[in-house]
Amino acid sequence: MRIPILKLGKYLLISIQVELDDQTAIQFQEDLLNRIHQEGSQGIVIDLTSVDMIDSYIAKVIGDVVKMSNLMGAKVVLTGIQPAVAITLVEMGVSLNEVHTALDLEQGLETLQQELEG
Amino acid sequence: MRTQPSVEVGTEWGIVSARQAGRELAKEVGFNNVDQARIATAISELARNIYLYTENGVIELEVVEKDALKGMKIIARDDGPGIENIRDVMEDGYSSSGGLGAGLPGVKRLLDEFDIESELGNGTVISTIKWLR
Amino acid sequence: MHSSVIDYIHQRKTHYITKWKEDLTQLVFQQEGLSDDLTEDITNEMIDLVFDGLFSEEHEQEERLRRFADRLSHYGLPLSDYIRGLQSMRQTVKSDLDAQYSEGQVAAFEAWLDELISKLVDAGAKTQERVIDLQNVALKEMSAPLIPVFDRISVMPLIGTIDTKRAQQIMENLLEGIIEFRTQVVLIDITGVPVVDTMVAQHIIKVSKAVGLVGSKCIIVGIRPEIAQTIVNLGIDLSKFSTTSNLKEGVETALAITQREITPLSTS
């Protein structure tokens, strides 16, 4: 299963709508990095509104994706993390340090704009 | 007391089916949204340990009642190599899989009761309970 | 207990009641603010409970004990006084029975009364448990509302002691409120939290991390001088978190984050 990556101007938009298994997560990591390379994207929004569970492994994959994208010169904003997901992550002691977040897609795009255009 | 059919964790898909079964049962028992996420996440961590370190293992789910309390019992059972240093794996930051190392201590924090028994060469049984608030 | 003993006690009922009531008025029922009628009423209920208890079915008796315990708790009357009352009843009846019946019969009566007392204690404990449950529910309901004050800015005042259970509840309320009101900045006001120890601080740190994950920012306001002192003395590091001493400054910071400010209207 592959997660679709949409292009919107200078940005890439990803809305994760499926239950994330390990294979899908890794595939997504590869796809996204290739796409950043192709498009020279500077900003990425990953929307997690439909994700109802993130365990430590998936959190690591997401954290890695953010770091790798940053290395390639693209800023990432995670949006729509559900309260229940946020609470479990914090209780487990998983912190997604220095990752930008926003409430929803709209505010995520605003955050990117502020970041990139100053 | 009712036992759900246990979920075999031999592949990565086993992890997904175990946590889906867990979430469904949690919903049925009456856990709220956040507790459902806690339970599903804990199962995911336990199932991943089985997948990573052993050939065979199961996640067993059970509805339990004690006095006026109702809860859900999650047992992870495998016949893997066993854990040599239980104290180490229960420490934050310890990881032998390259994950974030939040695995077992994280599971313990998400649930109410946590018990681990392991014998070298004979596998590990982790027994946990989440009580309905 | 032998039925002849029961009959005997029943025959002598009026005598016991008169005698017992004299003792009772000295022992108990001197709660302030209770009317004489009510006192009389509760006394009579207790007397009936004992004497009818000799003939009634077990489950019926339990139900009556439960109601009696509820009633005591409702008027704030201590159960111990009533147990002392029952002990005095034991004395009255026992001295009377001693003259008429064998030791065994008297012992049977005492055993029966002990059973009654322990049932009353049970009923009282259950009533207490129910009261505590209700209080917990009430506490849950009053725990920490999230109040939107400006567009995208909300305040959550915390009042009282924060334990783990309450911290979880607060976290859930807060995060769901953030989504509901699309809050970009939330001010957590801890002015009303009496003590901030390591555990409370850890709860606050967890809350602000979770707030960050859902895509909002958190400012902790209302840090009083003594709280600042304890936080530093305990070696708790809040430097990564935005904090202010009062709500007013917090609101200004929140407005700045959302790129707004309050300016006086120009007088023309």
Side-chain angles (χ1 to χ4, degrees):
Chain A
M1 201 182 320
R2 279 195 148 149
I3 294 168
I5 300 170
L6 308 176
K7 187 172 175 246
L8 182 82
K10 301 173 285 188
Y11 305 134
L12 294 180
L13 292 187
I14 301 99
S15 169
I16 297 180
Q17 304 277 356
V18 294
E19 168 100 37
L20 275 178
D21 64 281
D22 304 7
Q23 203 55 53
T24 314
I26 292 294
Q27 182 72 55
F28 164 64
Q29 193 177 76
E30 255 170 57
D31 288 353
L32 179 61
L33 296 177
N34 285 334
R35 200 61 192 274
I36 295 171
H37 184 64
Q38 277 169 25
E39 311 279 354
S41 318
Q42 292 186 311
I44 296 152
V45 179
I46 303 176
D47 185 56
L48 300 165
T49 309
S50 314
V51 174
D52 56 11
M53 192 231 57
I54 295 180
D55 66 7
S56 61
Y57 180 79
I58 304 215
K60 181 172 160 33
V61 174
I62 293 174
D64 288 351
V65 166
V66 174
K67 279 185 208 147
M68 292 165 188
S69 306
N70 287 342
L71 281 176
M72 295 179 69
K75 291 240 181 319
V76 183
V77 179
L78 301 180
T79 63
I81 295 181
Q82 291 298 306
V85 173
I87 292 171
T88 42
L89 283 176
V90 168
E91 280 176 355
M92 285 216 299
V94 174
S95 49
L96 291 167
N97 278 337
E98 333 216 332
V99 170
H100 292 283
T101 54
L103 285 174
D104 51 30
L105 211 58
E106 195 187 326
Q107 290 190 1
L109 286 169
E110 266 174 43
T111 310
L112 271 185
Q113 243 146 17
Q114 280 168 21
E115 283 283 323
L116 293 174
E117 284 149 35
Chain B
M1 217 182 274
R2 189 163 58 100
T3 308
Q4 296 285 310
S6 53
V7 182
E8 300 270 346
V9 186
T11 64
E12 281 175 39
W13 274 104
I15 303 173
V16 177
S17 16
R19 70 190 182 218
Q20 277 174 348
R23 183 180 279 274
E24 247 156 62
L25 185 62
K27 208 179 280 178
E28 223 176 272
V29 172
F31 284 105
N32 72 10
N33 205 9
V34 180
D35 279 343
Q36 285 175 30
R38 288 190 178 108
I39 290 167
T41 309
I43 292 175
S44 192
E45 300 289 340
L46 293 171
R48 185 176 311 283
N49 281 342
I50 293 177
Y51 166 73
L52 287 175
Y53 302 117
T54 72
E55 293 293 312
N56 282 305
V58 288
I59 298 283
E60 294 165 11
L61 305 169
E62 198 178 282
V63 180
V64 287
E65 272 168 58
K66 189 176 81 181
D67 303 326
L69 283 175
K70 199 174 183 196
M72 194 170 146
K73 192 174 196 172
I74 302 146
I75 301 171
R77 197 188 298 275
D78 70 59
D79 52 9
I83 301 170
E84 196 173 349
N85 39 2
I86 292 187
R87 195 179 303 175
D88 286 355
V89 299
M90 289 313 294
E91 244 163 54
D92 273 320
Y94 182 90
S95 170
S96 47
S97 69
L100 285 179
L104 289 181
V107 170
K108 193 175 178 184
R109 279 195 291 271
L110 291 175
L111 305 171
D112 298 321
E113 287 181 30
F114 184 97
D115 189 51
I116 178 166
E117 270 176 50
S118 187
E119 203 181 314
L120 275 185
N122 265 329
T124 304
V125 179
I126 297 174
S127 179
T128 66
I129 298 180
K130 183 80 190 167
W131 295 110
L132 198 58
R133 268 187 280 162
Chain C
M1 212 181 331
H2 200 275
S3 64
S4 76
V5 181
I6 296 179
D7 286 342
Y8 180 76
I9 292 175
H10 209 63
Q11 272 170 35
R12 304 270 291 159
K13 186 177 164 184
T14 335
H15 165 73
Y16 294 145
I17 289 174
T18 327
K19 181 112 192 355
W20 190 24
K21 266 192 177 170
E22 284 166 18
D23 294 346
L24 279 181
T25 37
Q26 284 165 18
L27 271 169
V28 292
F29 306 112
Q30 283 168 351
Q31 200 78 8
E32 276 176 43
L34 279 190
S35 71
D36 290 349
D37 283 354
L38 187 64
T39 311
E40 177 81 18
D41 197 34
I42 295 182
T43 314
N44 285 336
E45 185 175 345
M46 176 148 163
I47 288 167
D48 287 347
L49 206 62
V50 174
F51 290 100
D52 294 354
L54 288 168
F55 299 101
S56 62
E57 300 279 327
E58 202 163 304
H59 66 89
E60 190 188 331
Q61 191 195 24
E62 268 168 27
E63 175 60 22
R64 287 181 69 171
L65 282 169
R66 193 187 60 76
R67 262 184 285 141
F68 184 62
D70 275 359
R71 213 161 162 215
L72 291 185
S73 142
H74 179 76
Y75 292 113
L77 299 167
L79 194 61
S80 55
D81 284 1
Y82 290 81
I83 289 165
R84 237 173 281 141
L86 285 173
Q87 298 292 8
S88 97
M89 142 98 178
R90 175 205 301 265
Q91 290 308 318
T92 314
V93 179
K94 186 176 178 285
S95 56
D96 195 33
L97 291 180
D98 272 341
Q100 306 274 331
Y101 291 94
S102 71
E103 246 173 62
Q105 298 284 19
V106 178
F109 162 74
E110 287 200 273
W112 175 82
L113 193 67
D114 281 342
E115 179 69 23
L116 184 75
I117 290 173
S118 78
K119 276 182 190 160
L120 183 60
V121 172
D122 271 0
K126 278 193 189 124
T127 303
Q128 284 298 320
E129 272 170 32
R130 266 201 306 281
V131 169
I132 291 169
D133 281 352
L134 284 175
Q135 282 169 342
N136 275 337
V137 172
L139 190 68
K140 239 183 181 177
E141 280 173 354
M142 72 165 222
S143 78
L146 185 67
I147 307 157
V149 285
F150 293 104
D151 180 33
R152 288 174 285 159
I153 299 174
S154 302
V155 175
M156 177 172 266
L158 296 185
I159 290 163
T161 310
I162 298 172
D163 59 6
T164 305
K165 205 171 164 188
R166 197 155 171 249
Q168 286 189 345
Q169 192 64 39
I170 289 169
M171 173 114 89
E172 287 172 28
N173 278 0
L174 178 60
L175 296 186
E176 311 230 312
I178 285 175
I179 306 291
E180 186 184 340
F181 303 125
R182 295 189 84 220
T183 300
Q184 264 182 321
V185 184
V186 58
L187 301 152
I188 299 182
D189 186 350
I190 62 166
T191 312
V193 179
V195 180
V196 177
D197 57 10
T198 317
M199 206 194 66
V200 172
Q202 241 140 32
H203 286 314
I204 293 174
I205 291 172
K206 271 190 190 173
V207 166
S208 45
K209 279 185 180 163
V211 167
L213 282 175
V214 298
S216 185
K217 278 197 187 63
C218 165
I219 302 173
I220 298 154
V221 306
I223 304 207
R224 289 171 280 132
E226 68 270 27
I227 302 275
Q229 281 169 324
T230 31
I231 287 175
V232 172
N233 288 339
L234 287 171
I236 301 164
D237 185 10
L238 288 183
S239 61
K240 279 191 200 137
F241 304 91
S242 179
T243 53
T244 64
S245 70
N246 60 41
L247 189 56
K248 184 176 156 285
E249 280 166 44
V251 169
E252 280 164 11
T253 313
L255 286 168
I257 291 172
T258 52
Q259 287 154 331
R260 287 170 294 177
E261 63 175 339
I262 295 177
T263 51
L265 289 173
S266 57
T267 45
S268 50

